[in-house]
Amino acid sequence: MSTELTWFKSSYSGGDGDACLEVASGPDAVHVRDSKVQDGPVLALAPESWTALTGWLAR
């Protein structure tokens, strides 16, 4: 990734850090990764797809 991203973990995450996702917003995509594997794969979603996913999860 050429640009440095600022990653955020949900305030709903427990203090132990298990099973958490981190999210970073980039210029063209929302990036998602496993908080325990920060050098691992990153899922990049179009902003519209992220909105659809979070809306679906909220329902």
Side-chain angles (χ1 to χ4, degrees), residues 16-56:
D16 57 7
D18 285 351
C20 296
L21 294 178
E22 293 180 321
V23 177
S25 181
D28 299 317
V30 177
H31 306 272
V32 183
R33 71 180 181 188
D34 184 337
S35 63
K36 296 181 303 297
V37 189
Q38 294 181 355
D39 291 332
V42 173
L43 176 64
L45 299 168
E48 300 81 15
S49 296
W50 175 253
T51 300
L53 174 64
T54 56
W56 179 80

